[in-house]
Amino acid sequence: MDGDRNTSRPSDSARWDLNGHPVGAGRWERMRQRLSGRGSGGAPLGVDDADLIVVAESDDETVASSAVLDESAWRAGDDVVLRHMLRVPAAQADDAVATAALDGYQRLDDDALGRTVAGGADDTVVVVLARRQTLDAMHLSQERSRMAGLGARHGGTVLRWQVLQRPEARR
């Protein structure tokens, strides 16, 4: 295991860079937030914020991340919540969540999504994992691959991924 990686559960205010490492707001970001009116009054994104909207998503594992992002309402440069939905055997769900937590992902429950995510036949469950991060097409592809590997190692599959941001007026 990497000795310099933080393996504790991230807080809702944790922000992750393009490579999945936790980062704090730098001087430039704090100044930009103050000038844009999002200074101390603008709360950072939380993975289960009720005001987040889906700006890009796909359930097709063959479509390129860049193609989905190009045709979406995603705003480059703004933080996002990246959410993945995996179907795994119920006996493997806790292990899958623990492994994803090493990279800062948090498990969301059905209530946080505002709807029920149906499980599957054969004693499988849907696990929803999310984290706040900065995003671009290359790193979205990297995260999709990471989740595909996680699902496969735990006997499951990826059902869908979503990129969420606050509505334009609320930024």
Side-chain angles (χ1 to χ4, degrees):
M1 186 180 333
D2 221 349
D4 63 343
R5 301 275 313 249
N6 180 3
T7 58
S8 64
R9 183 179 169 109
S11 69
D12 281 344
S13 63
R15 183 170 154 251
W16 302 83
D17 69 9
L18 294 171
N19 294 310
H21 300 162
V23 296
R27 179 186 293 172
W28 174 249
E29 177 62 20
R30 288 189 306 268
M31 186 181 338
R32 186 174 73 87
Q33 287 177 350
R34 277 189 217 111
L35 292 173
S36 69
R38 292 185 287 156
S40 59
L45 292 179
V47 296
D48 56 356
D49 284 353
D51 64 340
L52 294 176
I53 59 170
V54 175
V55 293
E57 68 180 322
S58 180
D59 59 359
D60 184 351
E61 65 187 40
T62 63
V63 69
S65 298
S66 58
V68 174
L69 291 177
D70 285 347
E71 296 175 8
S72 73
W74 167 66
R75 296 179 310 275
D78 287 356
D79 282 349
V80 304
V81 170
L82 183 56
R83 189 159 64 191
H84 303 274
M85 295 168 199
L86 292 80
R87 183 180 310 281
V88 296
Q92 295 291 317
D94 289 340
D95 288 338
V97 170
T99 301
L102 295 174
D103 289 315
Y105 282 95
Q106 297 177 38
R107 184 177 190 172
L108 298 180
D109 59 351
D110 294 349
D111 294 335
L113 298 175
R115 61 182 169 79
T116 301
V117 178
D122 304 328
D123 197 31
T124 61
V125 295
V126 174
V127 175
V128 181
L129 301 167
R131 79 174 181 191
R132 176 182 171 215
Q133 69 179 71
T134 304
L135 191 72
D136 65 12
M138 182 181 79
H139 290 91
L140 173 57
S141 295
Q142 187 177 44
E143 290 307 307
R144 289 175 59 194
S145 177
R146 180 187 316 250
M147 288 298 141
L150 177 72
R153 283 190 309 275
H154 291 89
T157 60
V158 176
L159 300 174
R160 150 181 310 289
W161 58 267
Q162 298 175 321
V163 176
L164 296 94
Q165 289 179 313
R166 288 196 174 112
E168 184 75 34
R170 285 271 343 247
R171 291 187 328 167

